[in-house]
């Protein structure tokens, strides 16, 4: 009996979620080593009287080192003016999802499907209600939403997010802006 036959459907679903969240590392190019080559230049032959000195070789080209760029397409915090327009409902909130009562994996699946559907319908801004968690602590869903929104699966969908205004749910909700298709 193989290992896959031992797994329940729930275990297979969870394993598929875990395996889908991992990005393989890029293989590094092996360093080319030429036998007998050394970093020390060969000794120079003595110069004849009156001969011009040879010019030293220019240093090898090294590309400039810059700060690492932000991953392309990664969602970021909304600019304050956009957040203010959403909170005052000058920009419409076109859809809303409430993740109360979901488990961690079910909430992630529901959020991903909701956001992809919102993009397909041409929505620009939605409200995601996570709740605040039990006994005033940070809930599992609320703590995970930032990570889910920045995951590779949603990079082409989500352009930004920000905490919601008090009348939209305060700390237990957030505005999410959607990229155009």
């Amino acid at each position: 009996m193989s290992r896959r036959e031992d797994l329940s459907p729930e275990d297979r679903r969870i394993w598929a979620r875990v395996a889908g969240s991992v990005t393989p590392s890029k293989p590094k190019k092996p360093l080319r080593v030429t036998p007998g080559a050394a970093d020390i230049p060969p000794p120079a032959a003595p110069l004849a009287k009156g001969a011009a000195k040879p010019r030293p070789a220019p240093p090898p080209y090294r590309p400039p080192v810059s700060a690492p760029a932000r991953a392309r397409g990664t969602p970021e915090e909304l600019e304050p003016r956009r957040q203010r327009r959403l909170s005052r409902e000058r920009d419409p909130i076109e859809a809303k999802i409430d993740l109360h009562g979901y488990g961690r994996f079910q909430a992630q699946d529901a959020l991903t499907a909701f956001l992809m559907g919102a993009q397909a319908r041409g929505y620009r801004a939605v409200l995601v209600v996570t709740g605040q968690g039990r006994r005033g602590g940070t809930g599992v869903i609320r703590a995970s939403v930032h990570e889910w929104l920045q995951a590779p699966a949603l990079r082409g969908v989500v352009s930004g997010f920000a905490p919601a205004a008090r009348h939209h749910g305060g700390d237990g909700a957030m505005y999410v802006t959607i990229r155009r298709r």
Side-chain angles (χ1 to χ4, degrees):
M1 190 185 251
S2 72
R3 285 185 166 175
R4 289 194 179 208
E5 293 172 7
D6 294 341
L7 297 177
S8 69
E10 179 68 13
D11 290 340
R12 286 190 194 120
R13 189 183 69 75
I14 291 172
W15 178 251
R17 304 268 311 139
V18 170
S21 69
V22 176
T23 56
S25 62
K26 294 181 181 177
K28 292 185 179 179
K29 211 173 194 179
L31 186 62
R32 178 183 267 175
V33 178
T34 308
D39 292 339
I40 304 169
L47 291 176
K49 213 173 204 184
K53 290 185 179 179
R55 289 187 181 161
Y61 173 75
R62 291 196 178 118
V65 178
S66 62
R70 185 174 64 85
R72 190 172 182 180
T74 304
E76 55 189 29
E77 288 289 324
L78 290 180
E79 59 273 3
R81 290 181 69 196
R82 180 75 193 269
Q83 185 176 355
R84 196 174 320 117
R85 286 195 318 260
L86 286 169
S87 69
R88 294 179 181 173
E89 297 180 12
R90 293 210 172 92
D91 283 354
I93 296 172
E94 298 165 306
K96 172 183 167 182
I97 184 170
D98 190 344
L99 299 175
H100 282 98
Y102 286 96
R104 184 181 192 280
F105 293 115
Q106 291 86 10
Q108 186 176 6
D109 291 341
L111 179 64
T112 302
F114 171 75
L115 292 173
M116 288 183 170
Q119 184 185 39
R121 288 183 207 91
Y123 294 165
R124 300 292 292 136
V126 296
L127 182 68
V128 176
V129 179
T130 61
Q132 294 184 354
R134 294 185 180 169
R135 296 183 213 101
T138 303
V140 174
I141 295 172
R142 180 176 163 209
S144 302
V145 166
H146 289 279
E147 177 185 328
W148 297 343
L149 293 174
Q150 293 177 341
L154 290 176
R155 281 194 186 142
V157 178
V158 176
S159 65
F161 54 88
R166 186 174 208 148
H167 64 277
H168 284 136
D171 291 336
M174 62 183 2
Y175 302 122
V176 178
T177 54
I178 310 291
R179 292 184 195 280
R180 293 178 193 213
R181 288 185 88 186

